[in-house]
DNA sequence: TTCTTGGT
Protein backbone atom coordinates (compact mmCIF):
# COMPACT_ATOMS: atom_id res chain seq x y z
CA UNK A 1 0.00 0.00 0.00
CA UNK A 2 1.33 3.40 -0.90
CA UNK A 3 -1.36 5.44 0.85
CA UNK A 4 -0.58 9.03 1.52
CA UNK A 5 -2.83 11.19 3.65
CA UNK A 6 -3.45 14.90 3.28
CA UNK A 7 -4.79 16.30 6.55
CA UNK A 8 -6.23 19.69 5.75
CA UNK A 9 -8.30 22.53 7.13
CA UNK A 10 -9.59 25.88 5.98
CA UNK A 11 -10.29 29.11 7.79
CA UNK A 12 -12.84 31.21 5.96
CA UNK A 13 -14.78 34.45 6.22
CA UNK A 14 -18.02 32.56 6.85
CA UNK A 15 -20.00 29.40 6.43
CA UNK A 16 -21.25 29.94 2.91
CA UNK A 17 -18.96 28.19 0.44
CA UNK A 18 -20.34 30.14 -2.50
CA UNK A 19 -20.11 33.71 -1.24
CA UNK A 20 -17.57 33.62 1.56
CA UNK A 21 -13.84 33.16 0.99
CA UNK A 22 -10.94 31.09 2.24
CA UNK A 23 -8.53 33.17 4.34
CA UNK A 24 -6.11 30.43 5.38
CA UNK A 25 -5.26 26.91 4.23
CA UNK A 26 -3.40 24.51 6.49
CA UNK A 27 -2.38 21.05 5.34
CA UNK A 28 -0.02 18.24 6.28
CA UNK A 29 1.12 15.45 4.00
CA UNK A 30 1.78 12.12 5.73
CA UNK A 31 2.64 8.59 4.71
CA UNK A 32 0.41 5.63 5.55
CA UNK A 33 1.77 5.54 9.11
CA UNK A 34 0.81 9.19 9.59
CA UNK A 35 4.44 10.32 9.59
CA UNK A 36 4.62 13.94 8.48
CA UNK A 37 6.30 14.44 5.09
CA UNK A 38 5.42 18.02 4.25
CA UNK A 39 3.46 21.00 5.48
CA UNK A 40 1.53 23.75 3.76
CA UNK A 41 0.22 27.09 4.89
CA UNK A 42 -1.37 29.66 2.60
CA UNK A 43 -2.97 32.93 3.60
CA UNK A 44 -5.06 35.01 1.26
CA UNK A 45 -6.18 38.59 0.81
CA UNK A 46 -9.95 39.17 0.54
CA UNK A 47 -11.32 39.57 -2.99
CA UNK A 48 -13.46 42.61 -3.81
CA UNK A 49 -17.12 41.67 -3.67
CA UNK A 50 -16.60 39.16 -0.88
CA UNK A 51 -17.26 40.09 2.73
CA UNK A 52 -17.58 38.19 5.99
CA UNK A 53 -19.72 36.90 8.79
CA UNK A 54 -18.64 38.70 12.00
CA UNK A 55 -18.80 35.39 13.88
CA UNK A 56 -16.32 33.79 11.50
CA UNK A 57 -13.67 36.43 12.18
CA UNK A 58 -14.30 36.21 15.91
CA UNK A 59 -13.71 32.45 15.70
CA UNK A 60 -10.51 32.68 13.70
CA UNK A 61 -9.22 35.85 15.34
CA UNK A 62 -8.85 37.60 12.01
CA UNK A 63 -8.96 41.40 12.07
CA UNK A 64 -11.57 42.70 9.59
CA UNK A 65 -9.44 45.68 8.59
CA UNK A 66 -6.55 43.35 7.91
CA UNK A 67 -8.53 41.39 5.29
CA UNK A 68 -7.48 43.81 2.55
CA UNK A 69 -4.46 45.41 4.22
CA UNK A 70 -1.99 42.56 4.40
CA UNK A 71 0.82 41.22 2.26
CA UNK A 72 -0.83 37.91 1.51
CA UNK A 73 -1.33 36.69 -2.05
CA UNK A 74 -4.67 37.54 -3.65
CA UNK A 75 -7.39 34.90 -3.89
CA UNK A 76 -6.42 33.87 -7.40
CA UNK A 77 -2.74 33.34 -6.52
CA UNK A 78 -3.60 31.59 -3.27
CA UNK A 79 -6.04 29.24 -5.01
CA UNK A 80 -3.48 28.40 -7.68
CA UNK A 81 -0.88 27.68 -5.03
CA UNK A 82 -3.31 25.48 -3.12
CA UNK A 83 -4.27 23.66 -6.31
CA UNK A 84 -0.69 23.02 -7.34
CA UNK A 85 0.42 21.75 -3.95
CA UNK A 86 -2.56 19.43 -3.66
CA UNK A 87 -1.91 18.16 -7.19
CA UNK A 88 1.73 17.42 -6.33
CA UNK A 89 0.95 15.88 -2.97
CA UNK A 90 -1.74 13.65 -4.45
CA UNK A 91 0.55 12.18 -7.03
CA UNK A 92 0.06 9.27 -7.65
CA UNK A 93 -2.90 9.43 -5.24
CA UNK A 94 -3.85 10.54 -1.73
CA UNK A 95 -6.56 10.36 0.89
CA UNK A 96 -7.87 13.84 1.74
CA UNK A 97 -8.86 13.84 5.38
CA UNK A 98 -10.04 16.53 7.78
CA UNK A 99 -12.52 17.35 10.51
CA UNK A 100 -15.98 17.84 9.03
CA UNK A 101 -14.14 18.33 5.73
CA UNK A 102 -16.73 16.48 3.67
CA UNK A 103 -19.53 18.85 4.53
CA UNK A 104 -17.56 22.03 5.06
CA UNK A 105 -14.08 22.30 3.58
CA UNK A 106 -14.72 20.28 0.42
CA UNK A 107 -17.48 22.53 -0.95
CA UNK A 108 -15.30 25.53 -0.13
CA UNK A 109 -12.32 24.03 -1.95
CA UNK A 110 -14.45 23.27 -5.01
CA UNK A 111 -15.83 26.80 -5.08
CA UNK A 112 -12.32 28.24 -4.79
CA UNK A 113 -11.12 26.05 -7.66
CA UNK A 114 -14.24 26.82 -9.72
CA UNK A 115 -14.14 30.56 -9.10
CA UNK A 116 -10.45 30.65 -10.00
CA UNK A 117 -10.70 28.46 -13.11
CA UNK A 118 -8.67 25.50 -11.90
CA UNK A 119 -9.39 22.62 -14.29
CA UNK A 120 -9.79 19.74 -11.79
CA UNK A 121 -12.56 20.84 -9.44
CA UNK A 122 -13.11 17.34 -8.17
CA UNK A 123 -9.49 16.55 -7.43
CA UNK A 124 -10.30 15.02 -4.03
CA UNK A 125 -12.32 12.24 -5.64
CA UNK A 126 -10.71 11.82 -9.07
CA UNK A 127 -7.55 10.09 -10.32
CA UNK A 128 -7.72 7.60 -7.45
CA UNK A 129 -7.92 10.21 -4.74
CA UNK A 130 -10.40 9.56 -1.95
CA UNK A 131 -11.55 11.27 1.21
CA UNK A 132 -12.22 10.47 4.84
CA UNK A 133 -13.71 12.57 7.64
CA UNK A 134 -12.42 12.24 11.22
CA UNK A 135 -15.58 13.92 12.53
CA UNK A 136 -17.67 11.09 11.06
CA UNK A 137 -15.34 8.50 12.59
CA UNK A 138 -15.55 10.27 15.93
CA UNK A 139 -19.33 10.22 15.73
CA UNK A 140 -19.34 6.45 15.26
CA UNK A 141 -16.85 6.03 18.09
CA UNK A 142 -19.05 8.17 20.34
CA UNK A 143 -21.90 5.73 19.72
CA UNK A 144 -20.17 2.34 19.65
CA UNK A 145 -16.94 2.81 21.64
CA UNK A 146 -17.53 5.87 23.84
CA UNK A 147 -15.07 4.56 26.45
CA UNK A 148 -12.16 5.21 24.09
CA UNK A 149 -12.40 8.97 23.95
CA UNK A 150 -13.43 11.71 26.37
CA UNK A 151 -16.38 13.92 25.48
CA UNK A 152 -18.21 16.81 27.05
CA UNK A 153 -21.95 16.32 27.17
CA UNK A 154 -24.73 18.75 26.38
CA UNK A 155 -27.64 19.17 28.78
CA UNK A 156 -29.42 16.27 27.15
CA UNK A 157 -26.47 13.99 27.71
CA UNK A 158 -25.32 13.83 24.09
CA UNK A 159 -21.58 14.12 23.40
CA UNK A 160 -20.28 17.42 22.05
CA UNK A 161 -17.84 16.71 19.23
CA UNK A 162 -16.26 20.12 18.69
CA UNK A 163 -12.61 19.74 17.77
CA UNK A 164 -11.26 22.28 20.28
CA UNK A 165 -13.07 20.54 23.17
CA UNK A 166 -12.00 17.05 22.09
CA UNK A 167 -8.44 18.34 21.79
CA UNK A 168 -8.37 19.70 25.34
CA UNK A 169 -10.19 16.83 27.05
CA UNK A 170 -8.02 14.15 25.52
CA UNK A 171 -4.71 15.88 26.22
CA UNK A 172 -3.69 16.02 22.62
CA UNK A 173 -0.48 18.02 22.47
CA UNK A 174 0.75 19.80 19.41
CA UNK A 175 4.05 21.57 19.01
CA UNK A 176 3.02 24.43 16.82
CA UNK A 177 3.07 28.10 17.69
CA UNK A 178 -0.54 28.91 16.77
CA UNK A 179 -3.60 27.68 18.68
CA UNK A 180 -7.06 26.27 17.94
CA UNK A 181 -8.86 27.68 14.87
CA UNK A 182 -5.63 28.18 13.01
CA UNK A 183 -5.75 26.02 9.88
CA UNK A 184 -2.32 24.43 10.35
CA UNK A 185 -2.89 23.85 14.05
CA UNK A 186 -6.26 22.23 13.44
CA UNK A 187 -4.81 20.02 10.67
CA UNK A 188 -2.23 18.79 13.16
CA UNK A 189 -4.89 18.21 15.83
CA UNK A 190 -6.97 16.28 13.32
CA UNK A 191 -3.91 14.18 12.46
CA UNK A 192 -3.30 13.36 16.14
CA UNK A 193 -6.96 12.63 16.82
CA UNK A 194 -7.03 10.36 13.79
CA UNK A 195 -3.99 8.46 15.09
CA UNK A 196 -5.72 7.94 18.45
CA UNK A 197 -8.92 6.71 16.80
CA UNK A 198 -7.08 4.38 14.44
CA UNK A 199 -5.22 2.77 17.34
CA UNK A 200 -7.98 2.64 19.94
CA UNK A 201 -10.90 1.87 17.65
CA UNK A 202 -9.37 -0.06 14.73
CA UNK A 203 -12.60 -1.74 13.66
CA UNK A 204 -14.48 1.49 13.18
CA UNK A 205 -11.45 3.24 11.72
CA UNK A 206 -10.87 0.45 9.22
CA UNK A 207 -14.51 0.44 8.23
CA UNK A 208 -14.26 4.19 7.57
CA UNK A 209 -11.11 3.56 5.59
CA UNK A 210 -12.94 1.03 3.38
CA UNK A 211 -15.81 3.45 2.86
CA UNK A 212 -13.45 6.13 1.51
CA UNK A 213 -13.99 4.33 -1.81
CA UNK A 214 -17.19 5.16 -3.63
CA UNK A 215 -17.65 1.59 -4.79
CA UNK A 216 -17.67 0.23 -1.22
CA UNK A 217 -21.28 1.07 -0.25
CA UNK A 218 -22.81 -0.97 -3.06
CA UNK A 219 -20.51 -3.94 -2.50
CA UNK A 220 -21.11 -3.79 1.23
CA UNK A 221 -24.88 -3.57 0.96
CA UNK A 222 -24.97 -6.50 -1.45
CA UNK A 223 -22.79 -8.75 0.70
CA UNK A 224 -24.43 -7.71 4.00
CA UNK A 225 -28.15 -8.15 3.54
CA UNK A 226 -28.62 -6.61 6.99
CA UNK A 227 -26.30 -3.71 7.84
CA UNK A 228 -26.14 -0.94 10.42
CA UNK A 229 -26.51 2.69 9.38
CA UNK A 230 -25.95 5.35 12.03
CA UNK A 231 -27.62 8.66 11.31
CA UNK A 232 -27.67 11.84 13.34
CA UNK A 233 -30.23 14.49 13.98
CA UNK A 234 -28.13 17.21 15.47
CA UNK A 235 -26.23 15.45 18.21
CA UNK A 236 -28.74 12.65 18.57
CA UNK A 237 -27.70 9.38 16.97
CA UNK A 238 -30.16 6.88 15.56
CA UNK A 239 -29.05 3.31 14.99
CA UNK A 240 -30.79 1.65 12.07
CA UNK A 241 -30.77 -1.89 10.76
CA UNK A 242 -31.26 -1.57 7.02
CA UNK A 243 -31.23 -3.45 3.76
CA UNK A 244 -30.69 -2.32 0.18
CA UNK A 245 -33.76 -1.59 -1.94
CA UNK A 246 -31.81 -0.43 -4.98
CA UNK A 247 -29.81 2.30 -6.65
CA UNK A 248 -31.57 5.56 -7.47
CA UNK A 249 -31.69 6.04 -11.25
CA UNK A 250 -29.95 9.21 -12.41
CA UNK A 251 -28.18 9.66 -9.09
CA UNK A 252 -24.78 8.04 -9.00
CA UNK A 253 -23.85 6.44 -5.67
CA UNK A 254 -27.28 7.17 -4.18
CA UNK A 255 -29.22 4.20 -2.81
CA UNK A 256 -32.67 3.72 -1.42
CA UNK A 257 -32.41 1.66 1.77
CA UNK A 258 -35.14 -0.01 3.82
CA UNK A 259 -35.51 0.38 7.60
CA UNK A 260 -35.88 -3.14 8.96
CA UNK A 261 -37.60 -1.91 12.10
CA UNK A 262 -40.76 -2.16 10.01
CA UNK A 263 -42.10 -5.44 8.74
CA UNK A 264 -42.30 -5.16 4.96
CA UNK A 265 -44.82 -7.99 4.63
CA UNK A 266 -47.46 -5.68 6.05
CA UNK A 267 -46.73 -2.99 3.47
CA UNK A 268 -46.89 -4.55 0.04
CA UNK A 269 -50.69 -4.48 -0.16
CA UNK A 270 -50.93 -0.75 0.54
CA UNK A 271 -51.89 1.48 -2.38
CA UNK A 272 -49.43 4.12 -3.65
CA UNK A 273 -50.86 6.91 -1.54
CA UNK A 274 -50.67 4.93 1.69
CA UNK A 275 -47.23 3.60 0.88
CA UNK A 276 -45.91 7.06 0.09
CA UNK A 277 -47.17 8.25 3.45
CA UNK A 278 -45.14 5.52 5.13
CA UNK A 279 -42.08 6.57 3.11
CA UNK A 280 -42.28 10.15 4.35
CA UNK A 281 -43.40 9.53 7.90
CA UNK A 282 -40.61 11.43 9.70
CA UNK A 283 -38.57 9.28 12.07
CA UNK A 284 -40.91 6.38 11.31
CA UNK A 285 -40.24 6.40 7.58
CA UNK A 286 -39.77 2.95 6.10
CA UNK A 287 -36.97 3.94 3.74
CA UNK A 288 -34.43 6.68 3.12
CA UNK A 289 -31.60 7.68 0.80
CA UNK A 290 -28.04 6.63 1.53
CA UNK A 291 -25.53 8.89 -0.21
CA UNK A 292 -22.59 6.66 -1.03
CA UNK A 293 -20.47 9.48 -2.42
CA UNK A 294 -19.71 11.10 0.92
CA UNK A 295 -17.50 8.41 2.53
CA UNK A 296 -20.23 7.65 5.07
CA UNK A 297 -19.52 4.43 6.89
CA UNK A 298 -21.91 1.51 7.21
CA UNK A 299 -21.19 -1.18 9.80
CA UNK A 300 -22.07 -4.85 9.93
CA UNK A 301 -25.39 -6.11 11.32
CA UNK A 302 -24.06 -6.86 14.82
CA UNK A 303 -23.65 -3.15 15.61
CA UNK A 304 -27.40 -2.54 15.44
CA UNK A 305 -27.93 -4.53 18.65
CA UNK A 306 -26.46 -1.63 20.55
CA UNK A 307 -30.09 -0.52 20.31
CA UNK A 308 -32.45 -2.87 22.16
CA UNK A 309 -35.22 -2.42 19.62
CA UNK A 310 -33.26 -4.63 17.25
CA UNK A 311 -32.24 -7.13 19.91
CA UNK A 312 -35.95 -7.62 20.57
CA UNK A 313 -36.74 -8.23 16.92
CA UNK A 314 -33.78 -10.60 16.67
CA UNK A 315 -31.34 -11.30 13.91
CA UNK A 316 -33.44 -14.06 12.33
CA UNK A 317 -36.44 -11.83 11.85
CA UNK A 318 -34.26 -8.97 10.54
CA UNK A 319 -32.74 -11.31 7.96
CA UNK A 320 -36.19 -12.60 7.00
CA UNK A 321 -37.35 -9.03 6.43
CA UNK A 322 -34.23 -8.25 4.40
CA UNK A 323 -34.77 -11.35 2.33
CA UNK A 324 -38.37 -10.39 1.74
CA UNK A 325 -37.18 -7.06 0.29
CA UNK A 326 -34.48 -8.70 -1.81
CA UNK A 327 -36.88 -11.20 -3.38
CA UNK A 328 -39.69 -8.74 -4.08
CA UNK A 329 -38.41 -6.89 -7.10
CA UNK A 330 -41.85 -5.47 -7.79
CA UNK A 331 -42.12 -3.92 -4.36
CA UNK A 332 -38.60 -2.49 -4.64
CA UNK A 333 -39.22 -0.85 -7.99
CA UNK A 334 -42.48 0.56 -6.64
CA UNK A 335 -40.61 2.17 -3.75
CA UNK A 336 -37.98 3.59 -6.08
CA UNK A 337 -40.59 4.91 -8.51
CA UNK A 338 -42.56 6.54 -5.70
CA UNK A 339 -39.37 8.10 -4.41
CA UNK A 340 -38.51 9.49 -7.84
CA UNK A 341 -42.02 10.83 -8.48
CA UNK A 342 -41.99 12.75 -5.25
CA UNK A 343 -38.64 14.47 -5.46
CA UNK A 344 -38.87 18.22 -5.10
CA UNK A 345 -37.78 20.16 -8.16
CA UNK A 346 -35.29 22.90 -7.36
CA UNK A 347 -35.54 26.22 -9.17
CA UNK A 348 -32.77 26.97 -11.69
CA UNK A 349 -29.84 28.62 -9.91
CA UNK A 350 -29.14 32.12 -11.10
CA UNK A 351 -25.91 33.43 -9.58
CA UNK A 352 -22.72 32.11 -11.10
CA UNK A 353 -21.51 30.71 -7.77
CA UNK A 354 -24.57 28.46 -7.64
CA UNK A 355 -24.02 27.13 -11.14
CA UNK A 356 -20.92 25.14 -10.21
CA UNK A 357 -22.60 21.77 -10.82
CA UNK A 358 -24.25 22.71 -14.10
CA UNK A 359 -21.67 20.83 -16.16
CA UNK A 360 -18.08 19.65 -16.15
CA UNK A 361 -15.56 21.74 -18.05
CA UNK A 362 -15.07 20.41 -21.58
CA UNK A 363 -11.57 19.25 -22.59
CA UNK A 364 -11.22 22.39 -24.74
CA UNK A 365 -12.20 24.69 -21.89
CA UNK A 366 -9.81 22.85 -19.57
CA UNK A 367 -6.99 23.52 -22.02
CA UNK A 368 -8.04 27.15 -22.19
CA UNK A 369 -7.91 27.40 -18.41
CA UNK A 370 -4.23 26.43 -18.52
CA UNK A 371 -3.68 28.91 -21.31
CA UNK A 372 -5.47 31.58 -19.28
CA UNK A 373 -3.18 30.96 -16.30
CA UNK A 374 0.05 30.97 -18.31
CA UNK A 375 -0.83 33.96 -20.48
CA UNK A 376 0.59 37.32 -19.37
CA UNK A 377 -2.01 39.49 -17.65
CA UNK A 378 -2.28 41.70 -20.71
CA UNK A 379 -3.50 38.71 -22.76
CA UNK A 380 -5.76 37.07 -20.20
CA UNK A 381 -8.92 38.90 -21.24
CA UNK A 382 -8.34 37.90 -24.85
CA UNK A 383 -7.95 34.24 -23.86
CA UNK A 384 -11.05 34.38 -21.67
CA UNK A 385 -13.20 35.28 -24.67
CA UNK A 386 -12.43 31.86 -26.15
CA UNK A 387 -14.16 29.86 -23.40
CA UNK A 388 -17.16 27.95 -24.76
CA UNK A 389 -18.82 27.96 -21.36
CA UNK A 390 -20.18 31.41 -20.48
CA UNK A 391 -19.57 30.81 -16.79
CA UNK A 392 -15.81 30.77 -17.29
CA UNK A 393 -15.86 34.04 -19.20
CA UNK A 394 -17.62 35.68 -16.29
CA UNK A 395 -15.30 34.12 -13.68
CA UNK A 396 -12.29 35.19 -15.74
CA UNK A 397 -13.43 38.81 -15.59
CA UNK A 398 -13.49 38.60 -11.80
CA UNK A 399 -9.97 37.18 -11.71
CA UNK A 400 -8.62 39.81 -14.10
CA UNK A 401 -10.33 42.49 -12.05
CA UNK A 402 -8.44 41.20 -9.05
CA UNK A 403 -4.98 40.89 -10.59
CA UNK A 404 -4.89 43.46 -13.41
CA UNK A 405 -8.07 45.56 -13.55
CA UNK A 406 -6.53 48.03 -16.01
CA UNK A 407 -6.42 45.30 -18.68
CA UNK A 408 -10.21 44.88 -18.66
CA UNK A 409 -12.32 46.75 -21.18
CA UNK A 410 -14.09 49.68 -19.50
CA UNK A 411 -17.53 48.11 -19.96
CA UNK A 412 -16.59 44.79 -18.35
CA UNK A 413 -15.10 46.59 -15.40
CA UNK A 414 -18.15 48.80 -14.92
CA UNK A 415 -20.54 45.83 -15.09
CA UNK A 416 -18.64 43.90 -12.47
CA UNK A 417 -18.33 46.91 -10.18
CA UNK A 418 -22.07 47.50 -10.48
CA UNK A 419 -22.69 43.92 -9.47
CA UNK A 420 -20.43 44.23 -6.42
CA UNK A 421 -22.15 47.50 -5.53
CA UNK A 422 -25.57 45.87 -5.77
CA UNK A 423 -24.47 43.00 -3.60
CA UNK A 424 -22.94 45.24 -0.95
CA UNK A 425 -26.11 47.30 -0.68
CA UNK A 426 -28.52 44.37 -0.72
CA UNK A 427 -30.80 43.85 2.29
CA UNK A 428 -30.08 41.77 5.37
CA UNK A 429 -31.75 38.74 3.83
CA UNK A 430 -29.24 38.48 1.00
CA UNK A 431 -27.36 35.24 0.44
CA UNK A 432 -24.00 36.99 0.73
CA UNK A 433 -22.71 39.14 3.58
CA UNK A 434 -24.02 42.50 2.44
CA UNK A 435 -23.46 45.56 4.60
CA UNK A 436 -26.91 45.17 6.14
CA UNK A 437 -26.44 41.51 6.79
CA UNK A 438 -23.15 42.10 8.55
CA UNK A 439 -24.77 44.79 10.69
CA UNK A 440 -27.75 42.56 11.43
CA UNK A 441 -25.61 39.74 12.80
CA UNK A 442 -22.91 41.87 14.44
CA UNK A 443 -24.59 42.46 17.80
CA UNK A 444 -25.73 38.88 18.32
CA UNK A 445 -22.32 37.50 17.34
CA UNK A 446 -20.57 39.92 19.71
CA UNK A 447 -22.82 38.93 22.56
CA UNK A 448 -22.62 35.22 21.91
CA UNK A 449 -18.92 34.97 21.22
CA UNK A 450 -16.97 37.67 23.06
CA UNK A 451 -17.16 37.85 26.83
CA UNK A 452 -14.84 40.76 27.51
CA UNK A 453 -16.65 44.08 27.11
CA UNK A 454 -13.52 45.90 25.93
CA UNK A 455 -12.77 43.33 23.26
CA UNK A 456 -16.37 43.57 22.12
CA UNK A 457 -16.20 47.31 21.65
CA UNK A 458 -12.88 47.02 19.84
CA UNK A 459 -14.02 44.32 17.44
CA UNK A 460 -17.23 46.18 16.72
CA UNK A 461 -15.25 49.33 15.92
CA UNK A 462 -13.02 47.43 13.49
CA UNK A 463 -16.09 46.03 11.71
CA UNK A 464 -17.62 49.50 11.46
CA UNK A 465 -14.37 50.91 10.06
CA UNK A 466 -14.25 48.08 7.51
CA UNK A 467 -17.85 48.81 6.48
CA UNK A 468 -17.14 52.53 6.21
CA UNK A 469 -14.19 51.81 3.93
CA UNK A 470 -16.36 49.53 1.82
CA UNK A 471 -19.19 52.08 1.74
CA UNK A 472 -16.74 54.62 0.35
CA UNK A 473 -16.07 52.22 -2.52
CA UNK A 474 -19.54 50.76 -3.11
CA UNK A 475 -22.00 52.97 -1.24
C1' DT B 1 -41.18 12.88 19.44
C1' DT B 2 -39.25 16.19 15.48
C1' DC B 3 -34.89 17.91 18.01
C1' DT B 4 -30.32 20.30 13.07
C1' DT B 5 -24.37 18.67 14.75
C1' DG B 6 -20.15 20.62 13.03
C1' DG B 7 -17.25 23.52 10.23
C1' DT B 8 -16.18 29.62 9.88
Amino acid sequence: MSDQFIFWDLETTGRNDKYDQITQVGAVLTDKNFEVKDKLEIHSKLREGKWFEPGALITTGVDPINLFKNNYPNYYEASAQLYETFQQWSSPSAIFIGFNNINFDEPFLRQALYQNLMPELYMTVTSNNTRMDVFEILRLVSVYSPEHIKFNQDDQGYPILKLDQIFKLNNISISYEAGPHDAVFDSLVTLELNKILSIRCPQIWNAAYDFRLRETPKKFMISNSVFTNTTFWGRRPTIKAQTLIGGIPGKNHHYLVYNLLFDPKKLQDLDDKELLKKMNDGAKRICEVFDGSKSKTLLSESYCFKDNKFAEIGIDELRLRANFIKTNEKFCSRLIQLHLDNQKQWPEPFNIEERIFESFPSPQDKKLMIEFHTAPNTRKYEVSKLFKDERYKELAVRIIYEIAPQTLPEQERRNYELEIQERFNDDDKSKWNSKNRILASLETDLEKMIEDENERVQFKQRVITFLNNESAKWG
Side-chain angles (χ1 to χ4, degrees), chain A residues 262-311:
Chain A
F262 309 102
D263 189 348
K265 292 185 232 34
K266 296 173 182 161
L267 296 168
Q268 62 172 348
D269 297 329
L270 297 179
D271 66 32
D272 281 0
K273 210 178 146 195
E274 292 166 319
L275 192 55
L276 188 66
K277 212 180 142 200
K278 296 274 186 195
M279 293 171 71
N280 294 314
D281 194 7
K284 289 193 299 187
R285 61 190 184 278
I286 57 168
C287 58
E288 62 193 67
V289 176
F290 179 80
D291 182 350
S293 71
K294 296 235 161 76
S295 306
K296 278 195 176 291
T297 305
L298 298 172
L299 298 166
S300 62
E301 59 184 16
S302 59
Y303 284 85
C304 79
F305 301 119
K306 184 92 186 173
D307 187 324
N308 272 329
K309 283 200 294 282
F310 298 105

Side-chain angles (χ1 to χ4, degrees), chain A residues 14 31 53 104 123 207-208 213 297 329 371 385 392 460 470:
Chain A
D31 64 13
E53 245 178 273
F104 183 77
M123 62 181 304
L213 299 168
T297 305
E329 254 176 69
E371 203 177 321
K385 299 306 274 181
Y392 305 140
K460 183 175 175 179
E470 288 297 281

Side-chain angles (χ1 to χ4, degrees), chain A residues 20 120 154 158 193 220 256 353 386:
Chain A
D20 292 320
E120 301 298 333
D154 64 14
Y158 295 115
L193 176 59
F220 189 87
L256 199 63
E353 292 88 344
L386 302 172

Side-chain angles (χ1 to χ4, degrees), chain A residues 43-45 66-74 77:
Chain A
H43 278 97
S44 170
K45 217 188 274 295
N66 208 27
L67 286 167
F68 287 117
K69 295 180 180 160
N70 57 46
N71 294 319
Y72 298 143
N74 59 48
E77 292 161 352

